[in-house]
Amino acid sequence: METDVNSIDRVLPSKGKKREWVYAKKPSGNFYNLRQWVGYGLLLFLFGAPFLKIGGNPFLMFNIIERKFSIFGNIFFPQDLHIFVFGMLIILVGIVLFTAIFGRVWCGWTCPQTIFMELVFRRIEYWIEGDWTQQKKLNSGPNTDSRAIKKLLKHTIFLIISFFIANIFLAYIIGIDELFKVISDPIDQHTTGFIAIIIFTLLFYFVFAFVREIVCTTICPYGRFQGVLLDDQSLTVAYNEKRGEPRGKQRKDDDTPKGDCIDCGLCVHVCPTGIDIRNGIQLECVNCTACVDACDTVMDKIGKPKRLIGFYSLGQVEGKKDFKKSKTRHYIYAVVLVILTVGFVFMIFNRSLIGGSLLRATGSTYQMRDDGTVSNLYNLELLNKSGKDISFEIEPQSDNFKIQLVNSISNLEKDGAAKMSFFIIGNPKDVKKYKTDIKVLIKSDNKVIETLKTTFISPPGA
Ligand code: SF4
Ligand code: SF4
């Protein structure tokens, strides 16, 4: 994939150069209408999901502080790391497959950064400061009262929206119930939560008011990986050079045949990353299709077929006559994705409701008892992952052993943990070697919900 150096200079100034602010013309057209539906639907989901609960658990929660995650109402703890890693792998392979087929459509259509920037913050800017030429005039004009009021209004609204986004962002981390406590309780009871909201608010405000398209063109690693993920079959927004060139308006006194591009510059003016798609496929293009809409309008006006700029495969754009028709890479990704998904579903449905660790007490050995039996002391840690309160009991799997509790615990609260100690008692006559593998069953409602392995030590056959 070729990268146009001038376009990089426009969005990411090289040393000594000032950043050129991108004034994007207000987009309109069929793709933009569709993009708005998709974008507002996703915003609804983004703002609504923290309020959803399944079985009393958050629909989605990523509590990295307490290392507790809720995905579709299933609670995951660090003990479920393998399932979590599988989930992450599914997302990763899904993105790779999606990118290989549809190019960077994720960036322009579904990424929260683009949705907030283009469908929320930029729209407010259009509403207050006008379209791109008026914004340009306002910024280069004198410091008038009207300009100060517009700027104050815009930045106040930006801050308020950033505050809401910060709250929702925090709700995904600590859950909506905790967030309500942070908001409603006295500040000194939730200083960390309060500081987090302030920091996130300022961060979002800074990103959407100032950093803007640089997130997509420079900061986001996904954009940087495009070259590796795309192949000849991948669809991308591109300019049909063969049809468009030589560009320019056909003058009456000029016999030189012209292409379909009349060089109106509309596709450049609407571009939110400030590039000219006619210079070839560029890393900065987020496939938002604003230029497709703009150019289609022009083609309609001059009576030429649409899609001078449109979705083309990389092979088509680069004019490769023999570009690979094979979709082998896509099939391989799809098969890997299916295998991972099946594995993930299997693990979710076979996940233990209780996480446990059973260890013989550190430094202890066996104890001979007066009645001739032998005992070992164990420490047991249990974690309730079921999302509800659980009553349980423990018993050895083999009838040759008995359990004597040191501290008796038989209930685990939802998401609660418990530590207990107990002796396992056996008859040395039943033990054939010094160290015997044994299993301890955790039962609830007479059903085994977890089986823990450990070893029992005893002088054999004593
Ligand atoms: S909008 Fe279309 S016609 Fe106008 S400059 Fe861009 S490619 Fe050419
Ligand atoms: S070149 Fe077109 S599709 Fe790419 S970012 Fe600019 S307007 Fe969007």
Side-chain angles (χ1 to χ4, degrees):
M1 188 162 52
E2 281 172 34
T3 304
D4 179 65
V5 177
N6 292 329
S7 76
I8 290 183
D9 270 358
R10 194 169 165 202
V11 286
L12 181 71
S14 28
K15 261 190 181 167
K17 266 188 166 180
K18 257 180 88 181
R19 172 185 172 190
E20 197 172 322
W21 191 261
V22 175
Y23 293 97
K25 182 175 158 46
K26 207 170 168 179
S28 61
N30 292 339
F31 277 119
Y32 184 63
N33 293 341
L34 189 59
R35 199 149 60 97
Q36 287 191 93
W37 280 106
V38 174
Y40 291 132
L42 289 173
L43 281 180
L44 195 69
F45 174 78
L46 193 79
F47 279 91
F51 293 90
L52 296 179
K53 288 191 176 179
I54 295 182
N57 294 321
F59 179 64
L60 286 174
M61 187 183 74
F62 306 93
N63 194 333
I64 40 174
I65 306 152
E66 291 178 7
R67 295 186 296 159
K68 184 173 147 189
F69 305 88
S70 178
I71 298 172
F72 308 138
N74 292 295
I75 298 287
F76 295 90
F77 291 92
Q79 289 87 343
D80 300 310
L81 186 71
H82 57 294
I83 301 181
F84 198 71
V85 169
F86 247 75
M88 289 295 116
L89 278 174
I90 288 173
I91 294 175
L92 192 74
V93 177
I95 289 176
V96 169
L97 176 65
F98 188 82
T99 309
I101 298 172
F102 299 108
R104 219 175 155 180
V105 168
W106 157 266
C107 302
W109 286 62
T110 48
C111 173
Q113 161 71 22
T114 312
I115 293 176
F116 277 118
M117 187 67 243
E118 302 306 321
L119 299 183
V120 179
F121 287 89
R122 221 189 273 278
R123 284 185 72 106
I124 291 165
E125 205 163 56
Y126 290 135
W127 172 59
I128 297 172
E129 297 184 351
D131 207 348
W132 70 298
T133 44
Q134 289 155 296
Q135 289 176 21
K136 223 171 172 178
K137 214 167 137 193
L138 187 76
N139 285 354
S140 56
N143 264 330
T144 58
D145 285 352
S146 146
R147 171 176 146 148
I149 290 168
K150 281 181 178 173
K151 293 286 174 197
L152 185 68
L153 180 64
K154 180 178 97 170
H155 286 283
T156 308
I157 297 177
F158 275 17
L159 259 174
I160 293 170
I161 295 174
S162 302
F163 173 76
F164 279 115
I165 301 174
N167 275 275
I168 287 298
F169 186 67
L170 196 60
Y172 276 103
I173 298 174
I174 60 174
I176 199 75
D177 298 337
E178 273 304 305
L179 178 71
F180 278 137
K181 283 186 199 158
V182 174
I183 296 169
S184 53
D185 288 353
I187 290 175
D188 57 348
Q189 284 182 25
H190 300 281
T191 322
T192 318
F194 183 71
I195 292 172
I197 291 180
I198 304 272
I199 291 174
F200 289 147
T201 301
L202 294 177
L203 189 73
F204 287 124
Y205 167 70
F206 182 66
V207 165
F208 293 115
F210 305 105
V211 185
R212 299 178 155 223
E213 76 284 349
I214 289 181
V215 173
C216 315
T217 57
T218 313
I219 299 170
C220 177
Y222 176 58
R224 306 278 106 195
F225 277 118
Q226 296 301 302
V228 187
L229 302 179
L230 301 178
D231 60 24
D232 286 349
Q233 300 280 319
S234 308
L235 287 178
T236 187
V237 170
Y239 167 68
N240 185 338
E241 197 176 325
K242 267 194 198 152
R243 200 187 125 188
E245 300 296 316
R247 67 185 77 161
K249 288 195 178 78
Q250 189 76 58
R251 292 210 179 85
K252 280 181 190 152
D253 55 343
D254 183 4
D255 292 340
T256 334
K258 293 275 193 255
D260 284 355
C261 173
I262 57 166
D263 206 13
C264 63
L266 266 186
C267 52
V268 184
H269 299 324
V270 288
C271 180
T273 63
I275 58 168
D276 185 344
I277 193 68
R278 295 170 302 168
N279 291 338
I281 293 164
Q282 294 149 71
L283 280 177
E284 293 75 19
C285 176
V286 292
N287 278 212
C288 71
T289 58
C291 56
V292 181
D293 276 334
C295 191
D296 278 355
T297 320
V298 178
M299 292 301 115
D300 266 350
K301 274 188 193 151
I302 63 172
K304 295 272 165 88
K306 287 179 178 180
R307 302 297 139 82
L308 175 56
I309 300 174
F311 273 107
Y312 295 103
S313 69
L314 284 178
Q316 278 174 298
V317 173
E318 284 161 10
K320 292 182 188 168
K321 286 205 180 77
D322 57 342
F323 76 89
K324 282 183 281 165
K325 291 277 180 228
S326 154
K327 290 188 187 286
T328 315
R329 203 157 80 138
H330 299 181
Y331 291 138
I332 292 172
Y333 291 150
V335 169
V336 173
L337 191 62
V338 170
I339 293 171
L340 285 172
T341 309
V342 170
F344 183 72
V345 171
F346 179 80
M347 279 194 249
I348 293 267
F349 283 105
N350 288 284
R351 193 171 73 113
S352 161
L353 298 177
I354 274 194
S357 106
L358 177 63
L359 294 170
R360 222 179 30 248
T362 325
S364 68
T365 176
Y366 60 82
Q367 304 89 36
M368 294 303 300
R369 298 193 162 203
D370 294 344
D371 61 358
T373 56
V374 65
S375 66
N376 287 191
L377 180 63
Y378 294 87
N379 291 326
L380 171 66
E381 282 186 29
L382 292 175
L383 180 67
N384 184 353
K385 302 189 286 181
S386 67
K388 55 182 187 211
D389 294 356
I390 282 188
S391 302
F392 70 95
E393 56 203 32
I394 54 174
E395 60 181 58
Q397 191 185 42
S398 161
D399 292 338
N400 291 339
F401 297 95
K402 274 192 306 184
I403 280 182
Q404 182 184 44
L405 299 174
V406 174
N407 61 328
S408 176
I409 298 175
S410 57
N411 280 305
L412 266 179
E413 282 180 6
K414 178 187 168 193
D415 302 343
K419 283 185 184 176
M420 3 182 359
S421 298
F422 58 82
F423 290 102
I424 294 183
I425 305 162
N427 192 331
K429 289 190 185 110
D430 299 326
V431 179
K432 295 191 175 47
K433 49 186 181 176
Y434 176 71
K435 199 181 251 186
T436 310
D437 291 332
I438 56 168
K439 286 179 182 167
V440 171
L441 310 176
I442 316 285
K443 284 182 159 183
S444 178
D445 293 334
N446 275 328
K447 273 192 216 142
V448 177
I449 52 171
E450 179 65 317
T451 304
L452 299 167
K453 290 179 189 164
T454 186
T455 53
F456 182 83
I457 52 173
S458 162

